[in-house]
Amino acid sequence: MRTELSIVAEPGRLPRIDAVGGLAGRHTGADTVHLIGTAATPLGGDELDIRIVVRPGARLVVRSVAATIALPSTRTPLSVAHWRFEVGAGAELDFDPEPTIVAGGAQHHTVTTVHVAPDARLRLRERVQLGRSGEDGGGWRGDLCADLGEIPLLRHRLALGAATATDDRLSARRALDSELVYPDDRPAWAGSLDDVRLPLAAGGSLATRTSARLHATAPELLGVR
């Protein structure tokens, strides 16, 4: 199944939502949209294409009502999600959905592209957990490409789980909590080798935490905010 979702926020009006497939959006505030699953997706073979645009001067908060579960199909274990974010001049985007759970036997790839204006504000959080309770296997890869105006801001790729270079049955990390923040002038911070926040050369920061299981701790207690 192919899913397409577009959310466009403009000043002085409710965000416009257009959706086809297994994902939709609902207004839950003047500048807030919650993502809602309308069908079982992503299954192996599914492709999701989500575009979120915040026009100049607008503000948008995006959340979700539940976690996303990636499942294998009888045809293929692989599903793909493309996320495209555009944040215009003087605009603000706060994106923090519930985690993506990759079930045992599934492979899920996310490709995220971000274009943010130099005077915009952005918080982009992603959480991933490999395996439901008692499950093993499964894999996830995330590519994040962010530009600040015409300047490259970040090029980042991380893979977890089966068939990755870091896969280890005894101690491999199975969960990720990451957050891209712009602007952010805080210095580098490290809670451990697996829990760090690093400043970006063009401004902003990227914080990542890898672990066996996602933590329920609020983001401001992670050194992220």
Side-chain angles (χ1 to χ4, degrees):
M1 177 171 63
R2 179 173 176 81
T3 293
E4 298 181 2
L5 173 64
S6 172
I7 303 173
V8 180
E10 298 182 7
R13 57 170 291 179
L14 288 174
R16 176 177 174 178
I17 303 172
D18 296 294
V20 176
L23 190 63
R26 296 290 184 270
H27 299 110
T28 53
D31 55 10
T32 303
V33 172
H34 273 71
L35 304 180
I36 299 175
T38 58
T41 192
L43 300 176
D46 286 359
E47 183 174 353
L48 290 77
D49 193 343
I50 300 100
R51 177 174 174 260
I52 297 177
V53 178
V54 189
R55 301 292 190 199
R59 180 177 186 270
L60 178 64
V61 176
V62 179
R63 300 290 187 263
S64 63
V65 299
T68 296
I69 301 180
L71 296 165
S73 70
T74 57
R75 181 168 60 88
T76 177
L78 178 63
S79 56
V80 180
H82 298 271
W83 294 84
R84 298 175 174 86
F85 298 91
E86 301 174 26
V87 189
E92 180 178 355
L93 172 62
D94 184 345
F95 180 82
D96 188 357
E98 295 300 310
T100 295
I101 312 299
V102 183
Q107 295 280 338
H108 186 61
H109 291 178
T110 64
V111 180
T112 303
T113 58
V114 181
H115 295 276
V116 58
D119 61 346
R121 302 186 66 85
L122 170 68
R123 185 173 81 93
L124 187 69
R125 190 181 186 198
E126 183 170 30
R127 290 176 288 167
V128 178
Q129 176 70 60
L130 298 187
R132 296 169 293 186
S133 178
E135 285 186 333
D136 200 359
W140 172 87
R141 191 186 81 190
D143 298 343
L144 174 57
C145 176
D147 290 332
L148 180 65
E150 300 298 322
I151 300 173
L153 178 65
L154 177 67
R155 301 292 186 269
H156 185 261
R157 170 178 289 178
L158 181 64
L160 299 174
T164 65
T166 59
D167 190 34
D168 183 335
R169 292 286 181 177
L170 296 178
S171 61
R173 301 311 188 196
R174 291 290 190 265
L176 167 71
D177 191 339
S178 74
E179 190 175 64
L180 172 64
V181 176
Y182 178 85
D184 188 3
D185 58 1
R186 292 173 296 172
W189 172 90
S192 69
L193 290 175
D194 302 312
D195 189 3
V196 300
R197 182 186 67 240
L198 299 175
L200 304 176
S205 68
L206 177 68
T208 58
R209 166 187 271 178
T210 56
S211 56
R213 288 287 170 185
L214 284 174
H215 294 250
T217 312
E220 60 268 24
L221 300 181
L222 298 178
V224 175
R225 296 295 292 164

Coordinates of all heavy atoms in Angstrom, one line a residue, residues 79-119:
S79 N 9.8 -2.2 4.4 CA 8.9 -1.0 4.2 C 9.7 0.3 4.2 O 10.8 0.3 4.9 CB 7.8 -0.9 5.2 OG 8.3 -0.9 6.6
V80 N 9.2 1.3 3.6 CA 10.0 2.5 3.5 C 9.1 3.7 3.7 O 8.0 3.8 3.3 CB 10.6 2.7 2.0 CG1 11.4 4.0 1.9 CG2 11.5 1.5 1.7
A81 N 9.7 4.7 4.5 CA 8.9 5.9 4.8 C 9.8 7.1 4.4 O 11.0 7.2 4.8 CB 8.6 6.0 6.3
H82 N 9.3 8.0 3.6 CA 9.9 9.3 3.2 C 9.3 10.4 3.9 O 8.1 10.6 3.8 CB 9.8 9.5 1.7 CG 10.5 8.4 0.9 ND1 11.8 8.5 0.5 CD2 10.1 7.3 0.3 CE1 12.2 7.4 -0.2 NE2 11.1 6.7 -0.3
W83 N 10.0 11.1 4.7 CA 9.5 12.3 5.4 C 10.2 13.5 4.9 O 11.4 13.6 4.8 CB 9.9 12.2 6.9 CG 9.1 11.1 7.6 CD1 9.5 9.8 7.7 CD2 7.9 11.2 8.4 NE1 8.6 9.1 8.4 CE2 7.6 9.9 8.9 CE3 7.1 12.3 8.7 CZ2 6.5 9.7 9.6 CZ3 5.9 12.0 9.4 CH2 5.7 10.7 9.9
R84 N 9.4 14.5 4.5 CA 9.9 15.8 3.9 C 9.4 17.0 4.7 O 8.2 17.1 4.8 CB 9.5 15.9 2.4 CG 10.1 14.8 1.6 CD 9.6 14.9 0.1 NE 10.2 13.9 -0.7 CZ 9.8 12.7 -0.9 NH1 8.7 12.2 -0.2 NH2 10.4 11.8 -1.7
F85 N 10.3 17.7 5.3 CA 10.0 18.9 6.1 C 10.5 20.2 5.5 O 11.6 20.2 5.1 CB 10.6 18.7 7.5 CG 10.1 17.5 8.3 CD1 10.7 16.3 8.2 CD2 8.9 17.6 9.1 CE1 10.3 15.2 8.9 CE2 8.5 16.5 9.8 CZ 9.2 15.3 9.7
E86 N 9.6 21.2 5.5 CA 10.0 22.5 5.0 C 9.5 23.5 6.0 O 8.3 23.6 6.3 CB 9.4 22.8 3.6 CG 9.7 21.9 2.5 CD 9.0 22.2 1.2 OE1 8.6 23.3 1.1 OE2 8.8 21.2 0.5
V87 N 10.5 24.3 6.6 CA 10.1 25.3 7.6 C 10.6 26.7 7.1 O 11.8 26.9 6.9 CB 10.8 25.0 8.9 CG1 10.3 25.9 10.0 CG2 10.6 23.5 9.3
G88 N 9.6 27.5 6.8 CA 9.9 28.8 6.2 C 10.5 29.9 7.1 O 10.6 29.7 8.3
A89 N 10.7 31.1 6.6 CA 11.3 32.2 7.3 C 10.4 32.5 8.5 O 9.2 32.7 8.4 CB 11.4 33.4 6.4
G90 N 11.0 32.6 9.7 CA 10.2 33.0 10.9 C 9.2 32.0 11.4 O 8.5 32.3 12.3
A91 N 9.2 30.8 10.8 CA 8.3 29.7 11.2 C 8.8 28.9 12.3 O 10.0 28.9 12.6 CB 7.9 28.9 9.9
E92 N 8.0 28.0 12.8 CA 8.4 27.1 13.9 C 7.7 25.8 13.7 O 6.5 25.7 13.5 CB 8.0 27.7 15.3 CG 8.4 26.8 16.4 CD 8.1 27.4 17.8 OE1 7.7 28.6 17.8 OE2 8.3 26.8 18.8
L93 N 8.5 24.7 13.9 CA 7.9 23.3 13.8 C 8.4 22.5 15.0 O 9.6 22.5 15.3 CB 8.4 22.6 12.5 CG 8.1 21.1 12.4 CD1 6.5 20.9 12.4 CD2 8.7 20.5 11.2
D94 N 7.5 21.9 15.7 CA 7.8 21.0 16.8 C 7.2 19.6 16.5 O 6.0 19.4 16.5 CB 7.2 21.6 18.1 CG 7.5 20.7 19.3 OD1 8.0 19.6 19.2 OD2 7.3 21.2 20.5
F95 N 8.1 18.7 16.1 CA 7.6 17.4 15.6 C 8.1 16.3 16.6 O 9.3 16.1 16.8 CB 8.2 17.1 14.2 CG 7.9 15.8 13.6 CD1 6.6 15.6 13.0 CD2 8.7 14.7 13.7 CE1 6.3 14.4 12.4 CE2 8.4 13.5 13.1 CZ 7.2 13.4 12.5
D96 N 7.2 15.7 17.3 CA 7.5 14.7 18.3 C 6.5 13.6 18.4 O 5.7 13.6 19.3 CB 7.7 15.4 19.6 CG 8.3 14.5 20.7 OD1 8.5 13.3 20.5 OD2 8.5 15.0 21.9
P97 N 6.4 12.7 17.4 CA 5.4 11.6 17.5 C 5.8 10.5 18.4 O 6.9 10.4 18.9 CB 5.4 11.1 16.0 CG 6.8 11.3 15.6 CD 7.3 12.6 16.2
E98 N 4.9 9.6 18.6 CA 5.2 8.4 19.4 C 6.2 7.5 18.6 O 6.4 7.6 17.4 CB 3.9 7.6 19.7 CG 2.9 8.3 20.6 CD 3.5 8.7 21.9 OE1 4.0 7.8 22.6 OE2 3.4 9.8 22.3
P99 N 6.8 6.5 19.3 CA 7.9 5.7 18.7 C 7.4 4.9 17.5 O 6.2 4.5 17.4 CB 8.4 4.9 19.8 CG 8.0 5.5 21.1 CD 6.7 6.2 20.8
T100 N 8.4 4.5 16.7 CA 8.2 3.4 15.7 C 8.7 2.1 16.3 O 9.8 2.0 16.7 CB 8.9 3.8 14.4 OG1 8.3 4.9 13.8 CG2 8.8 2.6 13.4
I101 N 7.8 1.1 16.3 CA 8.2 -0.2 16.8 C 8.4 -1.1 15.5 O 7.5 -1.3 14.7 CB 7.2 -0.8 17.7 CG1 6.7 0.2 18.8 CG2 7.7 -2.1 18.3 CD1 7.8 0.7 19.7
V102 N 9.6 -1.7 15.4 CA 9.9 -2.6 14.2 C 9.8 -4.0 14.7 O 10.6 -4.4 15.5 CB 11.3 -2.3 13.6 CG1 11.5 -3.2 12.4 CG2 11.4 -0.8 13.2
A103 N 8.7 -4.7 14.3 CA 8.5 -6.0 14.8 C 9.6 -7.0 14.3 O 10.3 -6.7 13.3 CB 7.1 -6.5 14.3
G104 N 9.7 -8.1 15.1 CA 10.7 -9.1 14.7 C 10.4 -9.6 13.2 O 9.3 -9.9 12.9
G105 N 11.5 -9.7 12.4 CA 11.4 -10.1 11.1 C 11.1 -9.0 10.1 O 11.2 -9.2 8.9
A106 N 10.8 -7.8 10.6 CA 10.6 -6.6 9.7 C 11.8 -5.8 9.5 O 12.7 -5.8 10.3 CB 9.5 -5.7 10.3
Q107 N 11.9 -5.1 8.3 CA 12.9 -4.2 8.0 C 12.3 -2.9 7.6 O 11.4 -2.9 6.7 CB 13.8 -4.7 6.9 CG 14.6 -5.9 7.2 CD 15.9 -5.6 8.0 OE1 16.4 -4.5 8.0 NE2 16.4 -6.6 8.7
H108 N 12.6 -1.8 8.3 CA 12.0 -0.5 8.0 C 13.1 0.6 7.8 O 14.0 0.7 8.6 CB 11.1 -0.1 9.2 CG 10.3 1.2 8.9 ND1 9.4 1.2 7.8 CD2 10.3 2.4 9.5 CE1 8.8 2.5 7.8 NE2 9.4 3.2 8.8
H109 N 12.9 1.3 6.7 CA 13.9 2.4 6.3 C 13.1 3.7 6.3 O 12.1 3.8 5.8 CB 14.5 2.1 5.0 CG 15.5 1.0 4.9 ND1 16.1 0.6 3.7 CD2 15.9 0.1 5.8 CE1 16.8 -0.5 4.0 NE2 16.7 -0.8 5.2
T110 N 13.7 4.7 6.9 CA 13.2 6.0 6.9 C 14.2 7.0 6.2 O 15.4 6.9 6.5 CB 12.8 6.6 8.3 OG1 14.0 6.7 9.1 CG2 11.9 5.7 9.0
V111 N 13.7 7.8 5.3 CA 14.6 8.8 4.7 C 13.9 10.2 5.0 O 12.8 10.4 4.5 CB 14.6 8.6 3.1 CG1 15.5 9.6 2.5 CG2 15.2 7.2 2.9
T112 N 14.6 11.0 5.7 CA 14.1 12.3 6.1 C 14.9 13.4 5.5 O 16.1 13.5 5.7 CB 14.2 12.4 7.7 OG1 13.4 11.3 8.2 CG2 13.6 13.7 8.1
T113 N 14.2 14.3 4.9 CA 14.9 15.5 4.3 C 14.2 16.8 5.0 O 13.0 16.8 5.1 CB 14.8 15.6 2.8 OG1 13.4 15.6 2.4 CG2 15.4 14.5 2.1
V114 N 15.1 17.7 5.4 CA 14.7 18.9 6.1 C 15.2 20.1 5.4 O 16.4 20.2 5.1 CB 15.1 18.9 7.5 CG1 14.6 20.1 8.3 CG2 14.6 17.6 8.2
H115 N 14.4 21.1 5.1 CA 14.8 22.4 4.6 C 14.3 23.5 5.6 O 13.1 23.6 5.7 CB 14.3 22.7 3.2 CG 14.8 21.8 2.2 ND1 16.1 22.0 1.6 CD2 14.4 20.6 1.7 CE1 16.3 21.0 0.7 NE2 15.3 20.1 0.8
V116 N 15.2 24.1 6.3 CA 14.8 25.1 7.3 C 15.4 26.4 7.0 O 16.6 26.5 6.7 CB 15.2 24.6 8.7 CG1 16.7 24.3 8.8 CG2 14.7 25.5 9.8
A117 N 14.6 27.5 7.1 CA 15.2 28.9 6.9 C 16.1 29.3 8.1 O 15.9 28.8 9.2 CB 14.0 29.8 6.8
P118 N 17.1 30.1 7.8 CA 18.0 30.5 8.9 C 17.4 31.1 10.1 O 17.9 31.0 11.2 CB 18.9 31.5 8.2 CG 18.9 31.1 6.7 CD 17.5 30.6 6.5
D119 N 16.2 31.8 9.9 CA 15.6 32.4 11.1 C 14.3 31.6 11.6 O 13.5 32.2 12.4 CB 15.2 33.9 10.8 CG 14.1 34.0 9.6 OD1 14.0 32.9 8.9 OD2 13.6 35.0 9.5

